[in-house]
Amino acid sequence: MKLKEAFQKLSSLNLQLADIRLLLEHRYRINLNDCFIDSEIEISDQDFQKVYNLLKDDYPVYYLIGFLDILNIRVFLNETVLIPEIETEEFIYDYIFKNCDLNNKDVLDLCTGSGFISLALKKHYPSANIIASDISNDALATAKKSAEYNQLNIDFRHSDFFDEIHEKFDFIISNPPYIPDNSPYLKAKYSPSLALFAGEDGLDAYRKIFPSIDRYLKSNGVACFELESPNADKIYKLFITFNQNYEIRIVNDMNDRPRFLVAHKIINRQE
Ligand SMILES: C[S@@+](CC[C@H](N)C(=O)[O-])C[C@H]1O[C@@H](n2cnc3c(N)ncnc32)[C@H](O)[C@@H]1O
């Protein structure tokens, strides 16, 4: 198949030009900067048809590309991890980087998945001590590959929520599964359900995490949780049920939807 035909077919799937470029570059070693689309370059029909059918079936283009360059790091991606969301990137860049100094701090990234949050934090705060945990060994293997590639030293740990975590932290961040079980989630078909779904109302992970937060947070520590905006009120109430002495703010995303709960521990009752 000629490159031009392949390009037209990919464009018809409403892919972004930047994503088509990346796909052609990393799957077929074709650099669009070095050639014209109507050049005589050929692409293997068989492989392209496979790629096209997958994309038509909502297979995420970044699983085919295999990585995403974001916040100065390369995050490797496959079906064992979710693709980092723009809201998470925005929160890290616009909220954490601007408001928190995590250098020399003990940090926990609970439910790390691709490792995106830990990798971005370690890159920005080289002297932070970061533990990144997940229950999925496959996700951890993918995250470790990214850490090695980016030469970032992160302590990855296999753990069912806090089960294998024994340290205390200045900063805990978590983007846990939060989609209600029956919610029609567009990209769920090829993404790990373990990373998405959290019970009938989507709150099961928070129910497991929130009762332990105070025990794992040092005095003056901060805990941040990504959340699904329709559940923001419920998650706020759930948090204060288990953790009373906290200053809490809900941070909105660029579309002004509540997407993050940030809780600052103001009194330490345990140390
Ligand atoms: C929303 S994804 C993480 C996304 C990633 N932190 C990011 O921001 O791109 C949720 C992660 O929670 C993990 N997870 C699900 N149940 C868990 C449990 N019981 N203990 C620890 N991790 C769990 C999943 O394997 C998945 O990697």
Side-chain angles (χ1 to χ4, degrees):
M1 175 185 296
K2 290 265 187 299
L3 174 60
K4 184 173 182 178
E5 190 186 341
F7 186 85
Q8 283 168 341
K9 287 190 113 184
L10 291 173
S11 304
S12 74
L13 295 173
N14 287 329
L15 293 185
Q16 307 269 337
L17 178 59
D19 293 347
I20 296 178
R21 272 177 186 276
L22 280 174
L23 186 64
L24 291 172
E25 190 176 331
H26 293 281
R27 183 108 187 165
Y28 302 108
R29 306 277 159 229
I30 295 172
N31 189 337
L32 281 187
N33 295 328
D34 297 341
C35 68
F36 296 109
I37 293 164
D38 59 0
S39 73
E40 291 303 305
I41 291 177
E42 293 273 343
I43 285 179
S44 145
D45 271 359
Q46 209 182 348
D47 186 73
F48 183 79
Q49 202 51 52
K50 192 173 121 200
V51 165
Y52 178 77
N53 289 342
L54 280 170
L55 291 171
K56 210 171 155 202
D57 196 34
D58 289 329
Y59 193 80
V61 66
Y62 280 94
Y63 287 167
L64 285 170
I65 293 167
F67 68 87
L68 174 65
D69 288 334
I70 182 170
L71 292 182
N72 293 325
I73 43 165
R74 176 159 292 189
V75 182
F76 288 104
L77 299 169
N78 55 48
E79 290 180 30
T80 70
V81 297
L82 292 190
I83 297 163
E85 289 178 283
I86 191 153
E87 290 85 355
T88 317
E89 177 190 11
E90 183 199 5
F91 179 70
I92 294 172
Y93 186 80
D94 265 352
Y95 188 85
I96 301 183
F97 287 179
K98 290 181 183 162
N99 294 290
C100 312
D101 181 4
L102 301 184
N103 273 315
N104 297 307
K105 296 283 172 24
D106 294 315
V107 175
L108 173 65
D109 173 17
L110 193 75
C111 302
T112 191
S114 66
F116 165 51
I117 295 176
S118 314
L119 296 159
L121 295 183
K122 185 68 183 174
K123 180 83 180 180
H124 195 77
Y125 305 106
S127 61
N129 305 308
I130 303 186
I131 294 177
S133 66
D134 205 285
I135 200 169
S136 160
N137 279 317
D138 290 336
L140 286 170
T142 305
K144 277 181 198 165
K145 184 178 160 190
S146 296
E148 276 163 26
Y149 180 91
N150 292 288
Q151 299 185 311
L152 296 171
N153 187 13
I154 293 167
D155 179 355
F156 288 103
R157 202 163 300 173
H158 182 253
S159 179
D160 183 353
F161 294 122
F162 285 104
D163 281 5
E164 302 303 322
I165 309 292
H166 311 293
E167 298 82 349
K168 279 187 171 248
F169 300 91
D170 301 289
F171 190 84
I172 297 176
I173 184 162
S174 185
N175 178 9
Y178 55 66
I179 308 290
D181 282 347
N182 294 321
S183 163
Y185 192 80
L186 279 182
K187 292 189 176 144
K189 202 160 163 189
Y190 293 104
S191 302
S193 28
L194 191 60
L196 294 169
F197 300 110
E200 208 175 321
D201 59 0
L203 301 188
D204 281 4
Y206 304 106
R207 285 191 187 95
K208 297 255 177 64
I209 296 169
F210 288 171
S212 301
I213 282 298
D214 200 58
R215 191 152 32 101
Y216 285 93
L217 210 52
K218 297 185 196 174
S219 20
N220 242 348
V222 173
C224 305
F225 301 93
E226 187 161 329
L227 45 88
E228 198 191 30
S229 47
N231 270 337
D233 277 352
K234 285 187 201 153
I235 292 166
Y236 174 87
K237 284 180 189 141
L238 192 64
F239 187 87
I240 57 174
T241 307
F242 296 104
N243 305 287
Q244 282 86 37
N245 296 304
Y246 282 74
E247 250 170 35
I248 299 172
R249 63 178 293 202
I250 299 289
V251 178
N252 289 0
D253 65 16
M254 65 191 96
N255 295 313
D256 223 20
R257 292 173 309 184
R259 284 301 302 263
F260 293 87
L261 182 150
V262 178
H264 188 158
K265 184 168 179 170
I266 44 179
I267 295 175
N268 174 32
R269 291 165 296 148
Q270 290 194 349
E271 283 170 28

